[in-house]
Short mmCIF file of all heavy atoms in Angstrom, two decimals:
data_model
loop_
_atom_site.label_atom_id
_atom_site.label_comp_id
_atom_site.label_asym_id
_atom_site.label_seq_id
_atom_site.Cartn_x
_atom_site.Cartn_y
_atom_site.Cartn_z
N PHE G 120 -31.13 73.63 -11.21
CA PHE G 120 -30.58 73.99 -12.51
C PHE G 120 -31.17 75.29 -13.05
O PHE G 120 -31.01 75.61 -14.23
CB PHE G 120 -30.85 72.86 -13.52
CG PHE G 120 -30.13 71.59 -13.20
CD1 PHE G 120 -30.84 70.42 -12.96
CD2 PHE G 120 -28.75 71.55 -13.13
CE1 PHE G 120 -30.18 69.24 -12.66
CE2 PHE G 120 -28.08 70.38 -12.82
CZ PHE G 120 -28.79 69.22 -12.59
N GLY G 121 -31.86 76.03 -12.21
CA GLY G 121 -32.42 77.30 -12.63
C GLY G 121 -33.73 77.14 -13.36
O GLY G 121 -34.42 76.11 -13.27
N TYR G 122 -34.08 78.18 -14.16
CA TYR G 122 -35.37 78.23 -14.84
C TYR G 122 -35.16 78.45 -16.34
O TYR G 122 -34.14 78.99 -16.77
CB TYR G 122 -36.22 79.36 -14.27
CG TYR G 122 -36.55 79.19 -12.79
CD1 TYR G 122 -35.68 79.65 -11.81
CD2 TYR G 122 -37.72 78.55 -12.39
CE1 TYR G 122 -35.97 79.49 -10.46
CE2 TYR G 122 -38.02 78.39 -11.04
CZ TYR G 122 -37.14 78.86 -10.08
OH TYR G 122 -37.43 78.69 -8.75
N ASP G 123 -36.17 78.04 -17.12
CA ASP G 123 -36.06 78.20 -18.57
C ASP G 123 -36.70 79.51 -19.01
O ASP G 123 -37.05 80.37 -18.19
CB ASP G 123 -36.69 77.01 -19.29
CG ASP G 123 -38.17 76.83 -18.98
OD1 ASP G 123 -38.77 77.75 -18.38
OD2 ASP G 123 -38.74 75.78 -19.32
N TYR G 124 -36.89 79.66 -20.33
CA TYR G 124 -37.39 80.93 -20.86
C TYR G 124 -38.85 81.18 -20.50
O TYR G 124 -39.34 82.31 -20.63
CB TYR G 124 -37.21 80.95 -22.38
CG TYR G 124 -38.16 80.07 -23.13
CD1 TYR G 124 -39.30 80.59 -23.76
CD2 TYR G 124 -37.96 78.70 -23.20
CE1 TYR G 124 -40.17 79.77 -24.44
CE2 TYR G 124 -38.83 77.87 -23.88
CZ TYR G 124 -39.93 78.41 -24.51
OH TYR G 124 -40.80 77.58 -25.17
N GLN G 125 -39.57 80.16 -20.06
CA GLN G 125 -40.95 80.32 -19.61
C GLN G 125 -41.06 80.45 -18.10
O GLN G 125 -42.16 80.53 -17.57
CB GLN G 125 -41.81 79.14 -20.07
CG GLN G 125 -42.01 79.07 -21.57
CD GLN G 125 -42.86 77.87 -21.98
OE1 GLN G 125 -42.82 76.82 -21.35
NE2 GLN G 125 -43.63 78.04 -23.06
N GLY G 126 -39.92 80.44 -17.42
CA GLY G 126 -39.92 80.54 -15.97
C GLY G 126 -40.23 79.24 -15.27
O GLY G 126 -40.65 79.23 -14.11
N CYS G 127 -40.04 78.09 -15.98
CA CYS G 127 -40.31 76.76 -15.39
C CYS G 127 -39.03 76.17 -14.82
O CYS G 127 -37.92 76.41 -15.34
CB CYS G 127 -40.89 75.82 -16.45
SG CYS G 127 -42.45 76.38 -17.16
N ASP G 128 -39.18 75.39 -13.78
CA ASP G 128 -38.06 74.72 -13.13
C ASP G 128 -37.48 73.67 -14.08
O ASP G 128 -38.15 72.69 -14.41
CB ASP G 128 -38.54 74.09 -11.82
CG ASP G 128 -37.42 73.44 -11.04
OD1 ASP G 128 -36.29 73.36 -11.54
OD2 ASP G 128 -37.68 72.99 -9.90
N VAL G 129 -36.24 73.83 -14.49
CA VAL G 129 -35.61 72.91 -15.44
C VAL G 129 -35.47 71.51 -14.84
O VAL G 129 -35.74 70.50 -15.52
CB VAL G 129 -34.23 73.46 -15.87
CG1 VAL G 129 -33.50 72.44 -16.75
CG2 VAL G 129 -34.39 74.78 -16.60
N TYR G 130 -35.07 71.43 -13.60
CA TYR G 130 -34.86 70.13 -12.94
C TYR G 130 -36.18 69.37 -12.82
O TYR G 130 -36.25 68.18 -13.13
CB TYR G 130 -34.24 70.36 -11.57
CG TYR G 130 -34.15 69.12 -10.72
CD1 TYR G 130 -33.25 68.09 -11.04
CD2 TYR G 130 -34.97 68.96 -9.60
CE1 TYR G 130 -33.17 66.95 -10.26
CE2 TYR G 130 -34.88 67.83 -8.81
CZ TYR G 130 -33.99 66.83 -9.15
OH TYR G 130 -33.92 65.69 -8.38
N THR G 131 -37.24 70.04 -12.40
CA THR G 131 -38.54 69.38 -12.24
C THR G 131 -39.05 68.87 -13.58
O THR G 131 -39.57 67.75 -13.68
CB THR G 131 -39.55 70.35 -11.62
OG1 THR G 131 -39.11 70.75 -10.32
CG2 THR G 131 -40.92 69.70 -11.51
N ARG G 132 -38.91 69.65 -14.63
CA ARG G 132 -39.39 69.22 -15.95
C ARG G 132 -38.58 68.03 -16.45
O ARG G 132 -39.14 67.11 -17.08
CB ARG G 132 -39.28 70.38 -16.95
CG ARG G 132 -40.19 71.55 -16.63
CD ARG G 132 -40.19 72.54 -17.78
NE ARG G 132 -40.86 71.98 -18.93
CZ ARG G 132 -40.73 72.44 -20.16
NH1 ARG G 132 -39.91 73.46 -20.41
NH2 ARG G 132 -41.38 71.91 -21.17
N ALA G 133 -37.28 68.00 -16.18
CA ALA G 133 -36.46 66.87 -16.60
C ALA G 133 -36.84 65.59 -15.86
O ALA G 133 -36.87 64.50 -16.44
CB ALA G 133 -34.98 67.18 -16.38
N ILE G 134 -37.16 65.72 -14.57
CA ILE G 134 -37.58 64.55 -13.79
C ILE G 134 -38.89 63.99 -14.33
O ILE G 134 -39.02 62.77 -14.57
CB ILE G 134 -37.72 64.93 -12.30
CG1 ILE G 134 -36.36 65.28 -11.69
CG2 ILE G 134 -38.37 63.77 -11.53
CD1 ILE G 134 -35.37 64.14 -11.68
N TYR G 135 -39.87 64.84 -14.55
CA TYR G 135 -41.16 64.37 -15.04
C TYR G 135 -41.11 63.96 -16.51
O TYR G 135 -41.97 63.22 -16.97
CB TYR G 135 -42.22 65.46 -14.84
CG TYR G 135 -42.81 65.47 -13.46
CD1 TYR G 135 -42.20 66.16 -12.42
CD2 TYR G 135 -43.98 64.77 -13.17
CE1 TYR G 135 -42.74 66.17 -11.14
CE2 TYR G 135 -44.52 64.77 -11.90
CZ TYR G 135 -43.90 65.47 -10.88
OH TYR G 135 -44.44 65.46 -9.61
N GLY G 136 -40.12 64.43 -17.24
CA GLY G 136 -39.98 64.03 -18.64
C GLY G 136 -39.60 62.58 -18.82
O GLY G 136 -39.79 62.00 -19.90
N ALA G 137 -39.06 61.96 -17.75
CA ALA G 137 -38.65 60.56 -17.85
C ALA G 137 -39.85 59.64 -18.05
O ALA G 137 -39.73 58.59 -18.69
CB ALA G 137 -37.88 60.15 -16.59
N ARG G 138 -41.01 60.01 -17.52
CA ARG G 138 -42.16 59.09 -17.55
C ARG G 138 -42.61 58.77 -18.96
O ARG G 138 -42.67 57.61 -19.35
CB ARG G 138 -43.32 59.69 -16.74
CG ARG G 138 -44.60 58.89 -16.81
CD ARG G 138 -45.63 59.40 -15.82
NE ARG G 138 -45.19 59.21 -14.45
CZ ARG G 138 -45.89 59.62 -13.39
NH1 ARG G 138 -47.04 60.26 -13.57
NH2 ARG G 138 -45.44 59.40 -12.17
N ASN G 139 -42.91 59.79 -19.75
CA ASN G 139 -43.40 59.53 -21.10
C ASN G 139 -42.31 58.95 -22.00
O ASN G 139 -42.59 58.08 -22.83
CB ASN G 139 -43.94 60.83 -21.71
CG ASN G 139 -45.31 61.20 -21.19
OD1 ASN G 139 -46.13 60.32 -20.92
ND2 ASN G 139 -45.57 62.48 -21.03
N SER G 140 -41.08 59.40 -21.82
CA SER G 140 -39.99 58.88 -22.65
C SER G 140 -39.79 57.38 -22.41
O SER G 140 -39.68 56.59 -23.35
CB SER G 140 -38.70 59.65 -22.36
OG SER G 140 -38.82 61.00 -22.75
N LEU G 141 -39.75 56.98 -21.13
CA LEU G 141 -39.55 55.56 -20.82
C LEU G 141 -40.81 54.75 -21.12
O LEU G 141 -40.71 53.58 -21.52
CB LEU G 141 -39.14 55.40 -19.37
CG LEU G 141 -37.77 55.95 -18.99
CD1 LEU G 141 -37.46 55.64 -17.54
CD2 LEU G 141 -36.68 55.37 -19.88
N LEU G 142 -41.99 55.34 -20.92
CA LEU G 142 -43.23 54.63 -21.21
C LEU G 142 -43.30 54.27 -22.69
O LEU G 142 -43.61 53.12 -23.05
CB LEU G 142 -44.44 55.50 -20.82
CG LEU G 142 -45.82 54.94 -21.19
CD1 LEU G 142 -46.09 53.64 -20.44
CD2 LEU G 142 -46.90 55.97 -20.91
N ILE G 143 -43.00 55.23 -23.55
CA ILE G 143 -43.02 54.96 -24.99
C ILE G 143 -41.96 53.93 -25.35
O ILE G 143 -42.21 53.01 -26.13
CB ILE G 143 -42.82 56.27 -25.77
CG1 ILE G 143 -44.03 57.18 -25.59
CG2 ILE G 143 -42.57 55.99 -27.25
CD1 ILE G 143 -43.85 58.58 -26.16
N GLY G 144 -40.76 54.07 -24.78
CA GLY G 144 -39.69 53.12 -25.09
C GLY G 144 -40.01 51.70 -24.66
O GLY G 144 -39.83 50.75 -25.43
N PHE G 145 -40.53 51.53 -23.44
CA PHE G 145 -40.84 50.19 -22.94
C PHE G 145 -42.00 49.56 -23.71
O PHE G 145 -41.95 48.37 -24.05
CB PHE G 145 -41.15 50.25 -21.44
CG PHE G 145 -39.96 50.10 -20.57
CD1 PHE G 145 -39.35 51.20 -20.01
CD2 PHE G 145 -39.43 48.84 -20.30
CE1 PHE G 145 -38.23 51.06 -19.21
CE2 PHE G 145 -38.32 48.70 -19.50
CZ PHE G 145 -37.71 49.82 -18.94
N CYS G 146 -43.05 50.32 -23.96
CA CYS G 146 -44.20 49.76 -24.69
C CYS G 146 -43.82 49.40 -26.12
O CYS G 146 -44.25 48.36 -26.64
CB CYS G 146 -45.36 50.75 -24.66
SG CYS G 146 -46.11 50.98 -23.05
N ALA G 147 -43.01 50.25 -26.75
CA ALA G 147 -42.56 49.95 -28.11
C ALA G 147 -41.68 48.71 -28.13
O ALA G 147 -41.79 47.86 -29.02
CB ALA G 147 -41.82 51.14 -28.69
N ALA G 148 -40.80 48.56 -27.13
CA ALA G 148 -39.95 47.37 -27.05
C ALA G 148 -40.78 46.12 -26.80
O ALA G 148 -40.49 45.05 -27.36
CB ALA G 148 -38.90 47.55 -25.95
N LEU G 149 -41.82 46.23 -25.96
CA LEU G 149 -42.69 45.09 -25.71
C LEU G 149 -43.44 44.68 -26.97
O LEU G 149 -43.53 43.49 -27.30
CB LEU G 149 -43.68 45.44 -24.59
CG LEU G 149 -44.69 44.36 -24.21
CD1 LEU G 149 -43.97 43.11 -23.70
CD2 LEU G 149 -45.66 44.88 -23.16
N PHE G 150 -43.98 45.65 -27.69
CA PHE G 150 -44.71 45.38 -28.93
C PHE G 150 -43.77 44.76 -29.97
O PHE G 150 -44.11 43.77 -30.64
CB PHE G 150 -45.33 46.66 -29.45
CG PHE G 150 -46.14 46.49 -30.70
CD1 PHE G 150 -47.06 45.46 -30.83
CD2 PHE G 150 -46.01 47.38 -31.76
CE1 PHE G 150 -47.81 45.29 -31.98
CE2 PHE G 150 -46.75 47.23 -32.93
CZ PHE G 150 -47.65 46.18 -33.03
N ALA G 151 -42.58 45.34 -30.11
CA ALA G 151 -41.61 44.80 -31.06
C ALA G 151 -41.18 43.39 -30.66
O ALA G 151 -40.98 42.52 -31.51
CB ALA G 151 -40.38 45.71 -31.14
N GLY G 152 -41.05 43.15 -29.35
CA GLY G 152 -40.66 41.82 -28.89
C GLY G 152 -41.69 40.76 -29.20
O GLY G 152 -41.36 39.64 -29.60
N VAL G 153 -42.97 41.10 -29.02
CA VAL G 153 -44.04 40.14 -29.34
C VAL G 153 -44.04 39.81 -30.83
O VAL G 153 -44.12 38.63 -31.22
CB VAL G 153 -45.41 40.71 -28.90
CG1 VAL G 153 -46.54 39.83 -29.41
CG2 VAL G 153 -45.48 40.83 -27.38
N LEU G 154 -43.93 40.83 -31.67
CA LEU G 154 -43.88 40.60 -33.12
C LEU G 154 -42.66 39.76 -33.50
O LEU G 154 -42.74 38.87 -34.35
CB LEU G 154 -43.87 41.93 -33.87
CG LEU G 154 -45.11 42.81 -33.76
CD1 LEU G 154 -44.92 44.11 -34.54
CD2 LEU G 154 -46.34 42.07 -34.28
N ALA G 155 -41.52 40.06 -32.88
CA ALA G 155 -40.29 39.34 -33.21
C ALA G 155 -40.38 37.87 -32.82
O ALA G 155 -39.95 36.99 -33.57
CB ALA G 155 -39.10 40.00 -32.51
N VAL G 156 -40.94 37.59 -31.64
CA VAL G 156 -41.07 36.20 -31.20
C VAL G 156 -42.02 35.43 -32.12
O VAL G 156 -41.72 34.30 -32.55
CB VAL G 156 -41.55 36.15 -29.74
CG1 VAL G 156 -41.98 34.73 -29.36
CG2 VAL G 156 -40.45 36.61 -28.80
N LEU G 157 -43.16 36.02 -32.44
CA LEU G 157 -44.12 35.33 -33.29
C LEU G 157 -43.54 35.07 -34.68
O LEU G 157 -43.64 33.95 -35.21
CB LEU G 157 -45.40 36.15 -33.41
CG LEU G 157 -46.23 36.31 -32.12
CD1 LEU G 157 -47.42 37.22 -32.36
CD2 LEU G 157 -46.69 34.95 -31.62
N ALA G 158 -42.93 36.08 -35.27
CA ALA G 158 -42.39 35.92 -36.63
C ALA G 158 -41.17 35.01 -36.64
O ALA G 158 -41.06 34.09 -37.47
CB ALA G 158 -42.04 37.28 -37.21
N GLY G 159 -40.24 35.22 -35.72
CA GLY G 159 -39.01 34.43 -35.70
C GLY G 159 -39.24 32.98 -35.34
O GLY G 159 -38.66 32.07 -35.94
N LEU G 160 -40.11 32.74 -34.36
CA LEU G 160 -40.40 31.37 -33.95
C LEU G 160 -41.12 30.61 -35.05
O LEU G 160 -40.78 29.45 -35.35
CB LEU G 160 -41.24 31.39 -32.67
CG LEU G 160 -41.51 30.06 -31.98
CD1 LEU G 160 -40.21 29.39 -31.58
CD2 LEU G 160 -42.39 30.27 -30.76
N THR G 161 -42.11 31.22 -35.67
CA THR G 161 -42.85 30.57 -36.75
C THR G 161 -41.95 30.31 -37.96
O THR G 161 -41.96 29.21 -38.54
CB THR G 161 -44.05 31.43 -37.17
OG1 THR G 161 -44.88 31.68 -36.03
CG2 THR G 161 -44.87 30.74 -38.25
N SER G 162 -41.17 31.31 -38.33
CA SER G 162 -40.30 31.18 -39.49
C SER G 162 -39.23 30.12 -39.29
O SER G 162 -39.00 29.27 -40.16
CB SER G 162 -39.65 32.53 -39.79
OG SER G 162 -38.76 32.44 -40.87
N GLY G 163 -38.57 30.13 -38.15
CA GLY G 163 -37.49 29.19 -37.91
C GLY G 163 -37.97 27.77 -37.69
O GLY G 163 -37.28 26.81 -38.06
N PHE G 164 -39.15 27.59 -37.10
CA PHE G 164 -39.62 26.24 -36.78
C PHE G 164 -40.19 25.53 -38.01
O PHE G 164 -39.88 24.36 -38.26
CB PHE G 164 -40.67 26.31 -35.68
CG PHE G 164 -41.14 24.96 -35.21
CD1 PHE G 164 -40.39 24.23 -34.30
CD2 PHE G 164 -42.33 24.42 -35.67
CE1 PHE G 164 -40.83 22.98 -33.86
CE2 PHE G 164 -42.76 23.18 -35.24
CZ PHE G 164 -42.00 22.46 -34.33
N PHE G 165 -41.03 26.21 -38.77
CA PHE G 165 -41.71 25.56 -39.89
C PHE G 165 -40.88 25.58 -41.18
O PHE G 165 -40.95 24.64 -41.98
CB PHE G 165 -43.07 26.21 -40.13
CG PHE G 165 -44.06 25.96 -39.03
CD1 PHE G 165 -44.37 26.94 -38.12
CD2 PHE G 165 -44.67 24.72 -38.90
CE1 PHE G 165 -45.28 26.71 -37.10
CE2 PHE G 165 -45.58 24.47 -37.89
CZ PHE G 165 -45.89 25.48 -36.99
N GLY G 166 -40.10 26.63 -41.39
CA GLY G 166 -39.29 26.71 -42.59
C GLY G 166 -40.15 26.74 -43.86
O GLY G 166 -41.32 27.11 -43.83
N GLY G 167 -39.57 26.33 -44.98
CA GLY G 167 -40.31 26.24 -46.24
C GLY G 167 -40.85 27.57 -46.71
O GLY G 167 -40.21 28.62 -46.55
N TRP G 168 -42.05 27.53 -47.28
CA TRP G 168 -42.63 28.75 -47.84
C TRP G 168 -43.00 29.75 -46.75
O TRP G 168 -42.99 30.97 -46.98
CB TRP G 168 -43.86 28.42 -48.68
CG TRP G 168 -45.03 27.88 -47.90
CD1 TRP G 168 -45.30 26.59 -47.61
CD2 TRP G 168 -46.07 28.67 -47.30
NE1 TRP G 168 -46.46 26.50 -46.87
CE2 TRP G 168 -46.96 27.76 -46.68
CE3 TRP G 168 -46.35 30.02 -47.24
CZ2 TRP G 168 -48.09 28.17 -45.99
CZ3 TRP G 168 -47.48 30.44 -46.55
CH2 TRP G 168 -48.34 29.52 -45.94
N ILE G 169 -43.31 29.27 -45.53
CA ILE G 169 -43.61 30.17 -44.42
C ILE G 169 -42.38 31.00 -44.07
O ILE G 169 -42.44 32.22 -43.89
CB ILE G 169 -44.12 29.39 -43.20
CG1 ILE G 169 -45.43 28.67 -43.52
CG2 ILE G 169 -44.29 30.31 -42.00
CD1 ILE G 169 -45.96 27.84 -42.38
N ASP G 170 -41.24 30.32 -44.02
CA ASP G 170 -39.98 31.02 -43.75
C ASP G 170 -39.67 32.02 -44.86
O ASP G 170 -39.23 33.15 -44.59
CB ASP G 170 -38.86 29.99 -43.61
CG ASP G 170 -37.52 30.63 -43.26
OD1 ASP G 170 -37.54 31.74 -42.66
OD2 ASP G 170 -36.48 30.05 -43.57
N ALA G 171 -39.92 31.64 -46.09
CA ALA G 171 -39.61 32.53 -47.22
C ALA G 171 -40.48 33.80 -47.17
O ALA G 171 -39.98 34.92 -47.36
CB ALA G 171 -39.83 31.79 -48.54
N VAL G 172 -41.78 33.63 -46.90
CA VAL G 172 -42.68 34.78 -46.85
C VAL G 172 -42.31 35.72 -45.71
O VAL G 172 -42.21 36.95 -45.88
CB VAL G 172 -44.14 34.31 -46.73
CG1 VAL G 172 -45.07 35.49 -46.46
CG2 VAL G 172 -44.58 33.58 -47.99
N LEU G 173 -42.11 35.15 -44.51
CA LEU G 173 -41.79 35.98 -43.35
C LEU G 173 -40.41 36.63 -43.49
O LEU G 173 -40.22 37.77 -43.05
CB LEU G 173 -41.85 35.14 -42.07
CG LEU G 173 -43.25 34.67 -41.65
CD1 LEU G 173 -43.17 33.77 -40.43
CD2 LEU G 173 -44.15 35.87 -41.36
N SER G 174 -39.48 35.95 -44.11
CA SER G 174 -38.16 36.54 -44.32
C SER G 174 -38.22 37.72 -45.28
O SER G 174 -37.57 38.75 -45.08
CB SER G 174 -37.19 35.48 -44.86
OG SER G 174 -36.97 34.46 -43.90
N ARG G 175 -39.03 37.58 -46.35
CA ARG G 175 -39.17 38.71 -47.28
C ARG G 175 -39.89 39.88 -46.62
O ARG G 175 -39.58 41.04 -46.87
CB ARG G 175 -39.92 38.25 -48.53
CG ARG G 175 -39.25 37.17 -49.35
CD ARG G 175 -37.92 37.59 -49.95
NE ARG G 175 -36.82 37.63 -49.00
CZ ARG G 175 -36.18 36.54 -48.55
NH1 ARG G 175 -36.56 35.34 -48.91
NH2 ARG G 175 -35.17 36.68 -47.71
N LEU G 176 -40.88 39.57 -45.78
CA LEU G 176 -41.58 40.63 -45.05
C LEU G 176 -40.61 41.36 -44.11
O LEU G 176 -40.63 42.59 -44.01
CB LEU G 176 -42.75 40.04 -44.25
CG LEU G 176 -43.53 41.02 -43.35
CD1 LEU G 176 -44.17 42.12 -44.19
CD2 LEU G 176 -44.57 40.27 -42.54
N THR G 177 -39.75 40.59 -43.46
CA THR G 177 -38.74 41.19 -42.59
C THR G 177 -37.81 42.10 -43.37
O THR G 177 -37.45 43.19 -42.93
CB THR G 177 -37.94 40.08 -41.88
OG1 THR G 177 -38.82 39.25 -41.13
CG2 THR G 177 -36.91 40.69 -40.94
#
Side-chain angles (χ1 to χ4, degrees):
F120 295 120
Y122 298 87
D123 61 11
Y124 73 101
Q125 292 180 328
C127 299
D128 183 353
V129 174
Y130 173 70
T131 298
R132 295 189 69 199
I134 294 297
Y135 276 86
R138 174 171 295 177
N139 283 325
S140 295
L141 293 183
L142 175 64
I143 292 172
F145 271 99
C146 291
L149 179 61
F150 182 46
V153 171
L154 294 179
V156 167
L157 293 176
L160 187 60
T161 303
S162 177
F164 184 81
F165 292 104
W168 67 270
I169 297 178
D170 183 25
V172 171
L173 291 176
S174 295
R175 298 297 76 77
L176 176 62
T177 302

